[in-house]
Amino acid sequence: MALIQNLMPPSRENWERIVWAWQFFPLFTVVQWLSDYYPQGKTSVESRFNVPGKIGWTIMEAPGLITLLYIVFTLPQEANLTAPLPNVNYLMAALFTIHYTYRAVLAPLVLNPSMSPMHPSVVVSGLAFQLINATSIGGWIGGYGPVTADDWAGQVLRVEIGLIIWGFGFLGNVFHDDELREIRRAAARTQVKREQAQDEKGRSTKSVDKVYMLPENGLFRFIFFPHYLCEWIEWAGFWVIGGLGCIPARSFLLNEITTMTPRALQGKRWYVERFGKEKTAGRMAIIRGLL
C-alpha cells in the first residue's frame, strides 16, 4: 500500500526525476567551501534552538533507513512485480541497514558517551539528504534496477569484491569512531574521579561537556578524519556491488565526498588552531598526500 501515491514509494517517473536531480547535489555544497560555519560536533555553537546531540543525530539519520526499507518492501507490489527480488538486491538493502543501524541508532544512543548539541539547520539539512538518498537507492533496489536473477548473471565476482570493500570500510569506520569515543570515555572517567575527590572535600565541580585530544591510533596517525575515508571506501564497495550503471550508489558516494571534504578541511583547520602546528604537523585532513 502506497503511503503517498506516486511518491512513497515513488512511481518510476518520479523516481527517475529524483535520481537525475540528486546527481547535482554537489553544486549545493559550494557554500560549505566558503564558510567554516557548521554548528555541530566540535564546532557546535550556543543557540537557544539547539537540539541535544544524540536525539538530533537519530532524528536526522534514522528516517533514511526507514524510508529505504519501506520502499524495498512495498515497491515490488506497486510496480506489479510477480517474482521476489533477487538476493543481491536484499544484500544491498541489508548492507544499508547494517550501516544505518550502527550510525543512526547504536552509535548515538548506545555507544557515544556524549554528543555536542546540534543546530536545527543541521538536523533539517541532514534529514533532507537522508530522505532523498534513501528514495534514490531504495527505488533502484526495490524494483527499478535489477529485478531478476538473470539481471545479476555473471556478476558474482564483482559482487564479492564489492562486499569485501564494503566490509573493510565499515570495520574501519567503526574502529576509528571508537577511537574518538575512547577519548570521551577517558574524559568521563577523569571527571568522575574529580567529582569524587571534590565530594570528599565537600566541594562541587562543574561537569566537562567537551574534551578534545589528538587521536593517535590507526589512520589517525596520518590523517584527521580516517572515519570519513573509511565511510567513502564502504560506499565505494556498495557501488561496486551495484555496478557502474547503478547511478543511485554512485551519486551517494560522490555526494558524500563533496559534502564531507569541506568539513574535513574545516576540521583540520580547527585541530591546527587548537593544538598548534607543531603537534599537528604531518597530518592531512582526509587523504594523505592529497588533502
Side-chain angles (χ1 to χ4, degrees):
M1 179 179 177
L3 188 63
I4 303 176
Q5 193 65 34
N6 294 324
L7 188 59
M8 190 55 62
S11 65
R12 177 177 284 275
E13 182 180 8
N14 286 336
W15 175 77
E16 289 177 349
R17 289 171 177 169
I18 291 170
V19 171
W20 177 82
W22 195 225
Q23 297 176 87
F24 297 96
F25 171 81
L27 297 177
F28 294 93
T29 66
V30 171
V31 66
Q32 293 182 266
W33 294 87
L34 302 177
S35 173
D36 279 350
Y37 179 74
Y38 189 71
Q40 184 258 329
K42 292 185 291 295
T43 52
S44 178
V45 298
E46 294 289 339
S47 172
R48 61 183 297 184
F49 302 110
N50 275 353
V51 179
K54 294 187 175 187
I55 301 302
W57 191 267
T58 298
I59 292 174
M60 180 174 71
E61 297 277 326
L65 172 58
I66 296 171
T67 297
L68 181 132
L69 292 177
Y70 175 81
I71 292 174
V72 168
F73 286 105
T74 59
L75 182 58
Q77 181 178 356
E78 294 294 320
N80 297 316
L81 299 181
T82 57
L85 292 173
N87 289 335
V88 181
N89 292 48
Y90 288 119
L91 170 65
M92 295 182 72
L95 297 180
F96 194 94
T97 300
I98 291 170
H99 174 88
Y100 278 102
T101 298
Y102 162 73
R103 181 177 174 84
V105 181
L106 294 179
L109 300 182
V110 179
L111 300 175
N112 291 354
S114 64
M115 293 183 71
S116 299
M118 306 170 64
H119 194 272
S121 61
V122 175
V123 178
V124 171
S125 60
L127 175 60
F129 183 100
Q130 292 298 332
L131 292 177
I132 297 171
N133 185 62
T135 302
S136 173
I137 295 176
W140 191 89
I141 294 175
Y144 299 143
V147 294
T148 68
D150 289 340
D151 292 332
W152 291 103
Q155 302 180 52
V156 174
L157 179 59
R158 193 198 70 222
V159 170
E160 291 176 344
I161 292 173
L163 183 59
I164 292 171
I165 294 172
W166 184 92
F168 179 79
F170 178 73
L171 293 177
N173 191 5
V174 173
F175 171 81
H176 291 100
D177 277 351
D178 200 61
E179 288 300 308
L180 296 176
R181 282 192 287 266
E182 180 55 31
I183 291 176
R184 294 296 181 88
R185 288 193 288 261
R189 290 192 294 267
T190 300
Q191 181 62 23
V192 169
K193 292 179 180 179
R194 289 178 179 175
E195 290 177 350
Q196 291 174 344
Q198 292 294 334
D199 288 341
E200 292 176 359
K201 296 179 181 179
R203 301 174 184 175
S204 62
T205 182
K206 294 183 179 179
S207 62
V208 177
D209 293 325
K210 292 185 179 182
V211 175
Y212 295 109
M213 300 169 58
L214 277 173
E216 300 290 345
N217 295 326
L219 295 178
F220 279 114
R221 291 173 291 176
F222 312 108
I223 56 179
F224 290 110
F225 293 89
H227 46 313
Y228 283 17
L229 177 61
C230 288
E231 186 162 334
W232 295 354
I233 293 172
E234 187 180 346
W235 295 119
F238 190 79
W239 183 21
V240 170
I241 293 173
L244 293 178
C246 183
I247 296 176
R250 182 190 68 192
S251 293
F252 184 22
L253 175 61
L254 295 180
N255 290 347
E256 278 218 332
I257 290 174
T258 54
T259 193
M260 294 167 75
T261 298
R263 279 158 49 189
L265 295 174
Q266 171 205 27
K268 178 185 176 181
R269 291 191 291 270
W270 182 91
Y271 273 113
V272 172
E273 181 179 344
R274 188 176 185 92
F275 296 101
K277 293 183 178 180
E278 183 176 345
K279 290 185 177 180
T280 58
R283 296 197 198 191
M284 304 298 286
I286 197 166
I287 300 178
R288 188 167 176 83
L290 182 61
L291 293 172

